Amino acid sequence: MDSMKFVYMLLFASACSGCTYIPRSEQMDFCNADFAFEAEITSKDTGIISINYGFDVVTVYKGAAENIPSTLLGHGTLFSCGPQMLDLNTKYLIFATINGENIQILTYRKMADVKPSDIERITTNYDCNCTININYAAFHGAQSPPLPEPSKNECNAPEDFCSRSGYCQKNSDGVCTWGDKGDCY
């Protein structure tokens, strides 16, 4: 009987933390990350709760290399949105946050899919002093009023914005403005 309660609890928890797509700008993930870096995956220990990765840092784009913990955690096979599976001996662009003694993957992309314009955008255009506002209802096709006029520290993302190439950066007048750099894919 106790095992059935456990199964029902797991099913309930899984349904509650289900996976729903919420549009985000890559800049939002970059700014929420403690570290952004290129790394080659050297080892993998897969579990149902987490996947522990060993890695070698190639290039650091945010944070200091000496402060990056030696273990990278990805979501395991039980995670409701799917596991964060990285391939051995493959290089990735990784945005990660501190999680205790380790770092947790926020987002990742194979370096084979990263273009020079992507690196240029994250190193020169992402301004973490700007807040990006997204009209989530309009993004999902619902009728909704437009977003209020942004303050000088905010950008309203266009309704058809590209999460990867779009960015928000202060101009020479100190006002955050929306821009696009690179391909939208």
Side-chain angles (χ1 to χ4, degrees):
M1 185 62 158
D2 285 334
S3 64
M4 285 305 289
K5 284 182 185 177
F6 179 72
V7 168
Y8 286 128
M9 240 173 53
L10 273 178
L11 288 173
F12 178 75
S14 183
C16 289
S17 63
C19 204
T20 303
Y21 175 70
I22 298 173
R24 295 181 58 79
S25 163
E26 183 181 72
Q27 179 176 340
M28 295 165 84
D29 289 332
F30 177 85
C31 291
N32 286 329
D34 295 307
F35 301 101
F37 56 96
E38 177 184 343
E40 183 169 357
I41 303 304
T42 58
S43 66
K44 175 166 59 173
D45 181 17
T46 304
I48 61 170
I49 303 299
S50 66
I51 302 171
N52 297 347
Y53 293 101
F55 60 97
D56 291 329
V57 174
V58 177
T59 306
V60 177
Y61 302 107
K62 182 179 180 184
E66 63 271 9
N67 295 334
I68 298 176
S70 61
T71 301
L72 177 65
L73 301 176
H75 296 305
T77 56
L78 192 60
F79 189 66
S80 61
C81 290
Q84 293 174 318
M85 299 291 285
L86 280 61
D87 299 325
L88 287 174
N89 305 313
T90 303
K91 292 180 181 176
Y92 290 88
L93 174 62
I94 298 171
F95 297 168
T97 58
I98 295 172
N99 181 352
E101 306 261 327
N102 305 305
I103 53 175
Q104 176 72 48
I105 297 171
L106 278 177
T107 187
Y108 63 94
R109 186 173 345 126
K110 286 184 178 180
M111 286 305 294
D113 299 328
V114 175
K115 296 184 177 182
S117 60
D118 296 325
I119 299 302
E120 183 181 349
R121 188 178 53 259
I122 70 171
T123 58
T124 62
N125 298 115
Y126 286 175
D127 187 338
C128 294
N129 294 310
C130 293
T131 300
I132 298 173
N133 301 318
I134 298 173
N135 189 337
Y136 295 106
F139 188 85
H140 288 292
Q143 240 182 351
S144 67
L147 292 170
E149 198 63 31
S151 73
K152 70 176 193 162
N153 295 319
E154 299 175 314
C155 287
N156 287 348
E159 289 181 12
D160 62 345
F161 80 97
C162 178
S163 63
R164 187 161 171 182
S165 66
Y167 64 89
C168 182
Q169 179 183 44
K170 286 191 178 183
N171 63 19
S172 58
D173 296 326
V175 177
C176 293
T177 56
W178 188 261
D180 276 293
K181 180 177 279 185
D183 297 330
C184 183
Y185 47 95

